[in-house]
Amino acid sequence: MRNIFKRMFGSQPTTPTIELEEIEIDATEFNVTTYTPNTDTTIVYLPAIDFHSERFGRRPQRLLKALAEVGYNVIYINSSDEFYQVDALEYPYPEIPNFVVARVGHNVRTLFQGDRVIYWVNDSRLASSVETAYPDLVVFDSLTDPDQYEKHKHKMEAVADVVFITPERIYEHGKYCSHVHLVTADDFEIKERAEQVAQIIDALPNRMAPLM
């Protein structure tokens, strides 16, 4: 696992003017407001779920795409568990050049932009490796898969600066941990969820740098 980190983030009419009563409109009621990230940031998705996979309803893929649309630089490091990626780099969305899918093992450090690097984790088995890699922020997007991602879940939750969980998890411990947030990723609300995530991570300070 640790080797992965070594290789990578107009005339007017004359009709009289009619004065109309000014009406105040709450723009948030119509979902027309947007949130722009405060920080020039790169999000690096550590390999866990193949970009082309349909597992978990494509939650990671859709949420990270939405975050790229919000304005983050997103590097999706692909897993080779299900499919093999031929090209080292793929840009699946021509309209979103700041979203790239990188083949696992490819050095992506030259793709990093901005002064902040966030590691986005699905695979809880990476807890130890992430802790020693010293990114600026660690996001754990907790998924439900007892076969692969459950064994080290609690350790990963402790390592992460913020944890995003699905509704099934909120009843377990979400309301007792201040760094755990319920973030769904349904198609009809994906933009709103991306803005929610952006506000959460932008408000968090960077992790402490190592002393040596």
Side-chain angles (χ1 to χ4, degrees):
M1 293 285 183
R2 295 184 181 179
N3 289 334
I4 293 175
F5 296 92
K6 296 179 181 179
R7 299 194 297 264
M8 301 208 263
F9 260 111
S11 58
Q12 296 297 324
T14 57
T15 53
T17 302
I18 301 176
E19 294 186 1
L20 299 177
E21 180 182 357
E22 183 178 347
I23 302 176
E24 294 185 2
I25 299 177
D26 182 2
T28 59
E29 182 180 351
F30 299 95
N31 295 321
V32 298
T33 59
T34 59
Y35 178 79
T36 302
N38 295 325
T39 309
D40 192 6
T41 301
T42 292
I43 297 178
V44 182
Y45 176 81
L46 301 187
I49 300 172
D50 191 285
F51 178 73
H52 302 286
S53 175
E54 297 294 333
R55 297 176 64 198
F56 304 105
R58 295 183 59 81
R59 170 192 168 92
Q61 298 94 316
R62 292 189 289 108
L63 190 52
L64 287 164
K65 176 190 176 186
L67 285 168
E69 291 174 323
V70 167
Y72 291 106
N73 178 47
V74 176
I75 305 171
Y76 191 110
I77 302 181
N78 215 358
S79 169
S80 58
D81 291 344
E82 296 182 58
F83 308 97
Y84 177 75
Q85 181 171 326
V86 177
D87 297 326
L89 300 175
E90 292 182 359
Y91 292 85
Y93 310 111
E95 72 280 9
I96 316 176
N98 53 311
F99 184 102
V100 59
V101 179
R103 185 175 61 210
V104 64
H106 181 75
N107 190 331
V108 299
R109 189 165 296 276
T110 57
L111 301 176
F112 289 2
Q113 298 179 17
D115 55 4
R116 197 182 203 198
V117 176
I118 296 176
Y119 282 2
W120 189 287
V121 185
N122 280 146
D123 191 343
S124 61
R125 296 173 297 180
L126 296 174
S128 296
S129 297
V130 167
E131 194 170 22
T132 59
Y134 305 117
D136 295 314
L137 205 68
V138 174
V139 172
F140 178 36
D141 188 18
S142 185
L143 302 175
T144 304
D145 188 340
D147 294 334
Q148 295 188 49
Y149 304 118
E150 290 294 284
K151 185 177 180 179
H152 306 284
K153 181 187 68 175
H154 295 298
K155 182 177 182 180
M156 189 67 243
E157 289 173 346
V159 169
D161 300 286
V162 61
V163 179
F164 299 135
I165 60 178
T166 53
E168 293 80 5
R169 290 278 174 81
I170 193 67
Y171 303 106
E172 179 183 348
H173 58 232
K175 62 183 179 181
Y176 301 110
C177 303
S178 61
H179 77 313
V180 176
H181 301 267
L182 172 64
V183 175
T184 56
D186 297 322
D187 281 329
F188 69 92
E189 62 175 12
I190 190 67
K191 182 177 182 294
E192 289 76 10
R193 297 291 75 77
E195 293 178 3
Q196 175 190 357
V197 168
Q199 293 184 63
I200 292 171
I201 62 179
D202 281 350
L204 290 172
N206 288 347
R207 298 167 71 89
M208 294 291 293
L211 297 178
M212 297 181 62

